[in-house]
Amino acid sequence: MRHLKQLLSTISAGLLAVSLFAVSAAARDAKIVKKVGDGAATITLPNGSQVAATEGMMVRENSVIETKAGVELYVEATAGVIATIKANSKVKVEAPVAALNLDAVLDLQQGNVISQVDPKAKAKYGVRTPKGVAAARGTVFGSSVVTINGQPFTVTMTLSGSVSITPPPVAGVAQAPITIVAGTASTGGAAVSLAVAASTLNVDVTSIAAAAVTAIAVVAQNNAPAAGVAATPAQTAAAATSASLLASTMATVVTSAPGSISQVALAVATNVPSQAANVVTATVSAAVTAAATGGSTVNVAAIAAQVTQAASQGAAAAATTAAIAANPGNQAAASAAASTAAAAVAKSVAQASAAAQTTSTTTVAQAQAIATAASSSAATGATSGVVSSAGSSGITATNVGTTIAAGAAQGAAQAASAGKSTADAAAIAGSAAAGASKGATSAGASVNTTTVTAQAATGAQAGSSTPTVAVAPVAPPAAVATTPPVTPVTPIDPSINVSRSGP
């Protein structure tokens, strides 16, 4: 453990986030330095025998590491490189190919691997796709290989604040990428809408947007410090870069591909649930900024409702899958774990949504509308997410509805009550409780409104003692928020992080 902490503390901006379906080989035996979660993880040795993966274990070349739901493995691929093998992944540790001049290459056969590279170690680390090998170099902050329409696209994030999505070569000829920077998109050097840029690559805009935002979120998650542990300078720098990239990329989606917002949020939250609230913050903030622009038709309330529900749904679905995997055959324990995790999701996402819409000039009536919509959207999404992943576990909407609604109400009330008097905060709490109860009920749950109301009051009390941050005047959110849709968001197809494509 000491070795892992020392290594991670030296990691700086040289990051390689390898997402999705295809990657290959390591220069020497790898080592499992940390295991997180209760799910199953195994090593299939070159002779075909299989053993459980444990911390400290050396993994021989040509062995295959496989993780199930609810577990992640931190693997030292070579000196200076820590690869996080995410849940439901399969990675082969292969012998190096001399012609590649790389110390380590991992073959990602299924799932998701996120690698951090310490530039000081000068490790030569790359990833193989069906179209070739990519490596971290220069000003690259992170790189993700994703499969869209059966083809491997490379998403590259740079320290200068740009995100590029590059298609595979055609007949050996490199293709022009889509570049997203400062909220705009371009291809071949010409500024175009994100939808037009995607069409030039013969892919749908939702897949391109989801790939870009998910790649950023993966890097952000990988650099978050453990609970109770102070962030290292490198982690702080990476977090700032990730936040900037997330903000500019979601601004591009909001302004040039608004129809993709729900699908992008769902994809990101499902694959990187810890970043669900950050995606909501970035999206709603971008909508508020866009709405303040003269002649804009952006509807902040509608966008906030969409992204809040979708992000809650994706993150709660992921949490439920993990809860079931951690409690096999124990319905009560799985239900309790899923309920607690989904409530935390609903609270954080509702709070993020409401906070992004609330300023020092927000009236009580506007704050009530914001709290109602944020809590309702979060409760609807989180409840739907749990149900969609419950399968045959026996977990139902009624099992989790009250806890989720209470979390959503508390989060929304706390954010919307910032800077308000006790009396005004109480009114906002009532709106948040009503919205959350309605949201969970619309998703099929039976809700104890007394519990929900009490949690909303707790949130409002905490919020009313927190001053709002003074901001430049912008167009205030509509006094009457748009009612979010009840129908759960349907994941895009092809989805992200499912299986390897290509030979």
Side-chain angles (χ1 to χ4, degrees):
M1 183 65 70
R2 179 182 306 157
H3 176 69
L4 174 63
K5 290 181 179 178
Q6 291 174 340
L7 180 57
L8 291 180
S9 68
T10 64
I11 292 172
S12 63
L15 304 173
L16 180 62
V18 182
S19 295
L20 311 182
F21 323 101
V23 197
S24 208
R28 60 174 178 76
D29 292 352
K31 180 180 180 180
I32 298 174
V33 293
K34 186 177 181 181
K35 179 182 178 184
V36 178
D38 299 321
T42 59
I43 309 296
T44 301
L45 303 176
N47 63 9
S49 62
Q50 191 174 83
V51 297
T54 59
E55 291 186 2
M57 174 183 289
M58 300 301 297
V59 183
R60 296 175 54 191
E61 294 176 351
N62 296 317
S63 297
V64 176
I65 303 171
E66 185 170 6
T67 59
K68 299 298 184 182
V71 67
E72 296 180 355
L73 295 178
Y74 286 62
V75 176
E76 184 180 18
T78 189
V81 178
I82 294 292
T84 304
I85 301 178
K86 307 294 285 184
N88 298 312
S89 298
K90 183 182 292 186
V91 176
K92 185 176 183 180
V93 179
E94 295 187 349
V97 178
L100 297 179
N101 191 29
L102 296 175
D103 297 329
V105 187
L106 297 179
D107 182 1
L108 177 58
Q109 300 176 346
Q110 175 182 310
N112 186 28
V113 167
I114 308 152
S115 302
Q116 294 188 343
V117 182
D118 176 10
K120 296 179 182 178
K122 297 182 179 180
K124 299 175 180 178
Y125 179 71
V127 299
R128 186 194 305 276
T129 76
K131 297 292 184 178
V133 175
R137 54 173 63 90
T139 61
V140 171
F141 171 72
S143 177
S144 174
V145 179
V146 303
T147 297
I148 302 173
N149 293 349
Q151 295 294 316
F153 284 66
T154 301
V155 181
T156 304
M157 297 148 277
T158 70
L159 293 173
S160 62
S162 68
V163 181
S164 296
I165 304 95
T166 307
V170 176
V173 179
Q175 301 299 295
I178 293 174
T179 300
I180 300 171
V181 60
T184 63
S186 65
T187 182
V192 295
S193 72
L194 191 57
V196 170
S199 68
T200 64
L201 302 184
N202 296 316
V203 295
D204 66 278
V205 66
T206 299
S207 293
I208 285 292
V213 181
T214 300
I216 297 168
V218 164
V219 173
Q221 174 182 261
N222 203 47
N223 283 278
V229 178
T232 65
Q235 288 175 323
T236 300
T241 302
S242 298
S244 176
L245 288 169
L246 186 61
S248 64
T249 305
M250 284 312 304
T252 302
V253 175
V254 167
T255 57
S256 65
S260 298
I261 290 174
S262 291
Q263 295 288 8
V264 170
L266 179 67
V268 176
T270 300
N271 290 288
V272 200
S274 68
Q275 296 300 305
N278 290 336
V279 170
V280 170
T281 296
T283 305
V284 179
S285 297
V288 170
T289 300
T293 303
S296 173
T297 59
V298 170
N299 186 325
V300 175
I303 288 176
Q306 292 171 24
V307 72
T308 301
Q309 179 178 327
S312 296
Q313 182 181 331
T320 301
T321 298
I324 294 172
N327 298 279
N330 190 334
Q331 178 183 331
S335 181
S339 179
T340 299
V345 166
K347 178 183 177 182
S348 65
V349 171
Q351 187 169 354
S353 180
Q357 300 174 77
T358 304
T359 72
S360 57
T361 62
T362 301
T363 66
V364 174
Q366 289 172 338
Q368 286 182 279
I370 290 170
T372 299
S375 62
S376 179
S377 300
T380 300
T383 305
S384 298
V386 171
V387 173
S388 69
S389 294
S392 60
S393 67
I395 301 175
T396 67
T398 296
N399 295 152
V400 301
T402 295
T403 305
I404 288 176
Q410 182 178 355
Q414 182 170 337
S417 296
K420 297 294 187 291
S421 67
T422 302
D424 289 342
I428 294 169
S431 296
S437 296
K438 180 179 179 181
T441 300
S442 70
S446 295
V447 176
N448 183 323
T449 57
T450 300
T451 299
V452 176
T453 299
Q455 287 300 103
T458 298
Q461 182 178 11
S464 65
S465 62
T466 303
T468 54
V469 177
V471 296
V474 297
V480 179
T482 301
T483 302
V486 174
T487 304
V489 182
T490 302
I492 58 176
D493 188 16
S495 59
I496 292 181
N497 295 343
V498 178
S499 62
R500 177 188 175 116
S501 69

